[in-house]
Amino acid sequence: MSMNTLELAEHGPVIPVIVLQQVQDAIPLAQALVDGGVRVLEVTMRTPVALRCIEAIARAVPQAIVGAGTVRSVQDARAAQTAGARFAVSPGYTAAVGETCRDIGLPLLPGVATASELMAAQAGGHDFVKFFPATAAGGIPMLKALAGPFPDVSFCPTGGLTPQNAPDFLAMPQVKVCGGSWLTPPDALAARDWPRITRLAQAAAALR
Ligand code: 3PG
């Protein structure tokens, strides 16, 4: 049986949001993150090579728990699972994506930014959601406001998080884990500077 998305939060405080431009970077990048203590990896479906990168990581880096990010459609969800993604993250929530993920057994972390979106996601069975885009949608005050009517919901804030502000989000009891792209800076990837990425992962893993 597939994992519950809350299990993703058991592996550390930060899920890196990864944008890969070249398949050849997928395995060394995943290994660099795993070496730094970060096992849960969200590879976004924003580039033509994303699915091949997910496939490569799933095959060659067994310590990694690789998922697909930026899942926006039923087709994305199916393709992600075929490539070997063990979970999916979506920027928003639609019942179609929610139902498909449930039907195919792909754990989904759906994005929400408002109370109505949260009600829709909850109606689809999701009590653990991504709060996106976290800082632009109101940051900690907004999360505190949502926690009032939704005390049974846990959040993964993503979007605008940094090593500086992440600890404040992580200090909230309803925040189980957070997401961010800062572990994989484009210039580090372009330079294939894997030791730098391992250092960023180590620092992120120690954040809470
Ligand atoms: C994204 O979808 O790009 C993520 O939310 C990452 O946002 P960040 O680059 O602000 O961390």
Side-chain angles (χ1 to χ4, degrees):
M1 187 52 201
S2 59
M3 75 179 125
N4 178 304
T5 45
L6 257 184
E7 289 172 31
L8 299 173
E10 290 169 10
H11 299 279
V14 185
I15 298 175
V17 177
I18 301 167
V19 180
L20 280 161
Q21 307 291 350
Q22 317 189 84
V23 180
Q24 70 201 55
D25 293 345
I27 293 170
L29 171 69
Q31 195 60 56
L33 290 165
V34 165
D35 289 348
V38 172
R39 291 183 57 203
V40 177
L41 314 181
E42 175 189 336
V43 176
T44 58
M45 292 178 68
R46 290 183 204 179
T47 61
V49 296
L51 288 169
R52 282 160 60 207
C53 291
I54 290 170
E55 224 170 71
I57 295 168
R59 179 174 31 83
V61 191
Q63 309 96 310
I65 299 168
V66 64
T70 323
V71 169
R72 300 184 306 177
S73 67
V74 165
Q75 290 81 355
D76 286 348
R78 291 188 186 282
Q81 190 184 47
T82 302
R86 292 173 59 186
F87 64 93
V89 183
S90 54
Y93 177 77
T94 66
V97 169
E99 280 162 23
T100 297
C101 287
R102 194 171 49 248
D103 287 351
I104 66 179
L106 182 64
L108 172 70
L109 181 63
V112 307
T114 67
S116 295
E117 292 162 10
L118 189 37
M119 286 166 65
Q122 260 200 315
H126 298 278
D127 293 324
F128 178 41
V129 297
K130 160 169 150 166
F131 175 47
F132 174 80
T135 57
I140 287 172
M142 178 66 167
L143 262 183
K144 283 193 173 147
L146 287 172
F150 298 99
D152 48 344
V153 173
S154 303
F155 295 91
C156 171
T158 306
L161 269 70
T162 64
Q164 289 70 42
N165 66 13
D168 295 335
F169 281 93
L170 290 166
M172 300 179 65
Q174 60 271 47
V175 171
K176 302 302 177 202
V177 62
C178 67
S181 63
W182 80 83
L183 284 71
T184 53
D187 62 328
L189 270 167
R192 308 191 93 224
D193 187 349
W194 312 129
R196 178 172 165 210
I197 286 175
T198 294
R199 287 194 299 275
L200 287 165
Q202 281 167 338
L207 264 186
R208 198 189 283 277

